[in-house]
Amino acid sequence: VGASRTDSGVHARGQVCHFEAPEISDRSDAKVDHVDHVDFVDHETLLRRLRLTLPAAIFAVKLGAAPVNFHSRLSSVKKNYSYRLSTMHVMPFQARQCWTCGELDLEAMHAAINVLHNKHMDYIAFTTGENEPDYHGPVTKSVQLSMKIDGDIICLSASSDRFLYKMVRRIVGALVEVGKGRLSPNDIATAP
């Protein structure tokens, strides 16, 4: 089970997942004395074997034991999402990792970010479908937003304990609408 879903063209760094391995964990002589140490498992061998079974698009970086009640989604303390936008065309090898938006009013976008940043509010307007409270948390939450500019590349980042379904994608879309002049910065804070 992964900590979050990713969409086509989205790349996850630091994605945490968990799985149960009864043939390993059911041993009566097994002791978990620390999250990174199980006294009977050769982590490197298990990690190599895991890598051989995963699709080429997934690379396992680290393997370790977790407490019995750990759940990669529900035990998450914070999730961070970053979207890369470009005001110009990008090199072909970057095209799948960057949204080319054309000219944007970055000052207006920054003003919109300031309207939403750390504001405890109902984000139901920024989601689609039904939300599962156990998975997504309450619809009222606080989100940390930031924007960094590096030449023609704009990096929008969002952090929170949990996000509603497609929430970050829709916030980024609204910020681009502000940058295009189709919404005002205050419009996104009062979305129906």
Side-chain angles (χ1 to χ4, degrees), residues 103-135:
E103 291 300 316
L104 296 169
D105 181 343
L106 301 179
E107 286 184 26
M109 290 175 69
H110 190 66
I113 287 170
N114 286 338
V115 168
L116 295 177
H117 178 69
N118 277 334
K119 181 178 180 185
H120 196 74
M121 63 180 262
D122 183 338
Y123 280 90
I124 198 74
F126 292 100
T127 188
T128 59
E130 293 186 25
N131 292 291
E132 302 170 38
D134 286 344
Y135 174 66

Side-chain angles (χ1 to χ4, degrees), residues 72-149:
S72 58
R73 276 189 257 160
L74 304 178
S75 301
S76 174
V77 175
K78 184 167 275 201
K79 294 182 181 184
N80 302 303
Y81 287 83
S82 295
Y83 276 72
R84 289 171 35 102
L85 314 176
S86 177
T87 57
M88 304 292 284
H89 291 288
V90 295
M91 298 296 285
F93 58 86
Q94 293 180 327
R96 288 199 52 170
Q97 300 172 0
C98 193
W99 178 13
T100 302
C101 300
E103 291 300 316
L104 296 169
D105 181 343
L106 301 179
E107 286 184 26
M109 290 175 69
H110 190 66
I113 287 170
N114 286 338
V115 168
L116 295 177
H117 178 69
N118 277 334
K119 181 178 180 185
H120 196 74
M121 63 180 262
D122 183 338
Y123 280 90
I124 198 74
F126 292 100
T127 188
T128 59
E130 293 186 25
N131 292 291
E132 302 170 38
D134 286 344
Y135 174 66
H136 297 102
V139 296
T140 303
K141 54 183 75 233
S142 177
V143 177
Q144 295 77 48
L145 294 168
S146 66
M147 178 172 68
K148 292 183 182 170
I149 302 163

